Amino acid sequence: MITSITKFKLPNPITQAEAKDIFLSTAPNYKDLPGLIRKCYVIFDEGDSVGGVYLWQSRKDAEAVYTESWKEFVREKYGSEPEITYLETPVIVDNILKEIIS
């Protein structure tokens, strides 16, 4: 599995309520996305940046989403170039499912 972290610098800081409204507007785009296990929307730097923490079945699945058209969507929506970090994720503790996944 792969964890990816995306980060987008905003032109102006936003509140948690503003971020929630924006996130809810894009969340349906990620529902039932092939290879995506979970996405958490996040706020960085006291509202100066936003992004997501994703858990993917594979890096190939993640890279299939982070296309040039996705990057263009981010540039238009948030006004900045997205940063993407990939992390190998060999073990997950899931307290909802009560499982350790490897």
Side-chain angles (χ1 to χ4, degrees):
M1 288 175 283
I2 292 288
T3 298
S4 64
I5 301 171
T6 61
K7 185 176 183 180
F8 326 124
K9 180 83 172 136
L10 301 175
N12 298 300
I14 60 174
T15 66
Q16 185 171 345
E18 291 168 325
K20 184 176 180 180
D21 287 341
I22 293 168
F23 298 159
L24 286 171
S25 76
T26 63
N29 298 335
Y30 295 92
K31 194 170 183 191
D32 299 323
L33 196 62
L36 180 63
I37 298 167
R38 176 167 285 145
K39 176 180 181 178
C40 301
Y41 286 86
V42 296
I43 304 168
F44 294 89
D45 308 320
E46 299 181 19
D48 290 342
S49 300
V50 296
V53 178
Y54 303 72
L55 182 61
W56 297 96
Q57 291 178 358
S58 70
R59 183 166 177 151
K60 182 180 175 183
D61 292 325
E63 290 175 340
V65 171
Y66 303 137
T67 63
E68 188 53 42
S69 63
W70 178 86
K71 292 175 184 176
E72 182 60 31
F73 169 79
V74 169
R75 288 189 287 267
E76 289 177 13
K77 183 128 185 118
Y78 299 104
S80 68
E81 190 68 29
E83 298 174 27
I84 305 168
T85 303
Y86 295 99
L87 306 162
E88 292 289 335
T89 310
V91 176
I92 297 168
V93 176
D94 190 317
N95 287 323
I96 293 173
L97 296 176
K98 308 280 190 223
E99 294 179 347
I100 296 175
I101 304 162
S102 65

